[in-house]
Structures are given as structure tokens and as C-alpha cells.
């Protein structure tokens, strides 16, 4: 009796075709736009008056207004970027008020604070952009959620 060289019970199923969907379930377009929402704050800071300036929240605002109805992940992340940058702008403005109210003496507090906040802003923004590109929802620390 001859044995069948190909036993159907011994064969394994072919591997499934590669999936075009990201493991997070978020499409590549949404991940890319969400990343742009975070990075647009850096571009705004470079093109305008720096961290805490109006340019830092203009990019996230525009992306949020354009994509909020069609891309839920972008809606969430653009709002998060917008809220974070508005919060940083408010803190920078409050430090300026401190400087003017104390007739310049507040600079002893404001200058180191601006430096620390600026570095933290840059680090958190880059982390958020990387997380968004991975399809992970990111929440900035110490952020007032003004835009809901």
C-alpha cells in the first residue's frame, strides 16, 4: 500500500493576506492628519511668535475645523492639540501679566518658567505626534479642556 505524500490533515492553511488596516484600527489618513494636527503647532511657533503665540493653536484649529466631521480620530487629537496650545498660551500670557504687575521683577520667575514650559511643550508635542501616527489616543498633561 502506498502512502499519499500529501495528507490533507497534515497541511496548514495558507497565511492570511496582509491587512491594509493598522492594528489600532485607525486608517493611515486619520493617523497622518492627527499627527499633522500636533506638528502644526510647532510649525506655527516657528512661523509666528514662538511658543505661546497665536500660531501654535492656529494649525490645530484649522485641521480640527476641516476634519472634525469626517475623521473621528483627527477630531479628538486636533481638539487635544488645540486645548494644549491654548493652555500654554494662557500660561505664557499670565507670566507676562506677572512681569508687568511687578514692574519687571517678575522676570526672575517668568524667564525660567518660559524656558521650562517651552521645552516641555516641545517634548509633549513631539510625543503626541508620534502617538497619533501610531494610532494611539494621546492626552497632554496639565491641559484645560476648553474645546469639547
Amino acid at each position: 500500500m502506498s502512502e499519499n505524500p500529501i495528507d490533507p490533515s497534515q497541511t496548514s492553511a495558507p497565511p492570511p493576506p496582509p491587512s491594509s488596516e493598522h492594528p489600532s484600527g485607525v486608517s493611515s489618513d486619520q493617523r497622518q492628519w492627527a499627527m499633522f494636527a500636533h506638528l502644526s503647532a510647532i510649525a506655527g511657533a516657528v512661523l509666528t511668535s514662538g511658543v505661546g503665540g497665536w500660531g501654535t493653536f492656529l494649525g490645530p484649529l484649522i485641521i480640527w475645523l476641516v476634519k472634525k466631521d469626517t475623521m473621528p480620530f483627527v477630531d479628538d487629537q486636533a481638539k487635544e492639540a488645540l486645548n494644549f496650545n491654548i493652555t500654554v498660551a494662557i500660561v505664557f500670557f499670565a507670566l507676562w501679566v506677572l512681569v508687568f504687575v511687578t514692574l519687571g521683577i517678575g522676570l526672575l520667575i517668568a524667564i525660567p518658567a518660559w524656558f521650562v514650559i517651552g521645552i516641555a511643550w516641545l517634548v509633549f508635542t513631539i510625543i503626541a505626534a508620534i502617538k497619533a501616527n501610531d494610532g494611539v489616543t494621546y492626552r497632554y498633561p496639565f491641559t484645560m479642556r476648553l474645546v469639547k
Side-chain angles (χ1 to χ4, degrees), residues 4 11 15 30 33 40-41 44 54 106 114-115 132:
N4 186 358
T11 61
Q30 287 197 60
W33 277 106
S40 66
W54 61 272
W114 285 327
F115 180 75

Side-chain angles (χ1 to χ4, degrees), residues 73 76-77 131-132 135-139:
F73 184 67
D76 176 65
Q77 290 301 288
K131 294 287 189 185
V136 176
T137 301
Y138 182 76
R139 294 289 174 250

Side-chain angles (χ1 to χ4, degrees), residues 10 17 69 87-88 92 95 98 118 122-123 126 129:
Q10 300 284 330
D69 296 326
T87 301
V88 170
F92 269 59
L95 288 170
L98 173 69
L122 182 62
V123 169
I126 291 170

Side-chain angles (χ1 to χ4, degrees), residues 22 24 30-32 34-39 42 73 77 122-138 140:
H22 192 267
S24 67
Q30 287 197 60
R31 289 184 287 119
Q32 188 174 31
M35 180 184 66
F36 289 156
H38 294 290
L39 293 178
I42 296 173
F73 184 67
Q77 290 301 288
L122 182 62
V123 169
F124 288 139
T125 301
I126 291 170
I127 290 170
I130 292 169
K131 294 287 189 185
N133 193 42
D134 289 341
V136 176
T137 301
Y138 182 76
Y140 289 98

Side-chain angles (χ1 to χ4, degrees), residues 55-89:
T56 59
F57 53 86
L58 190 60
L61 175 64
I62 291 170
I63 291 173
W64 177 64
L65 289 173
V66 171
K67 299 292 182 181
K68 69 179 179 175
D69 296 326
T70 58
M71 297 182 168
F73 184 67
V74 178
D75 172 44
D76 176 65
Q77 290 301 288
K79 278 193 293 191
E80 188 66 17
L82 180 59
N83 283 325
F84 178 64
N85 285 288
I86 290 172
T87 301
V88 170

Side-chain angles (χ1 to χ4, degrees), residues 13-22:
S19 174
S20 61
E21 189 68 28
H22 192 267

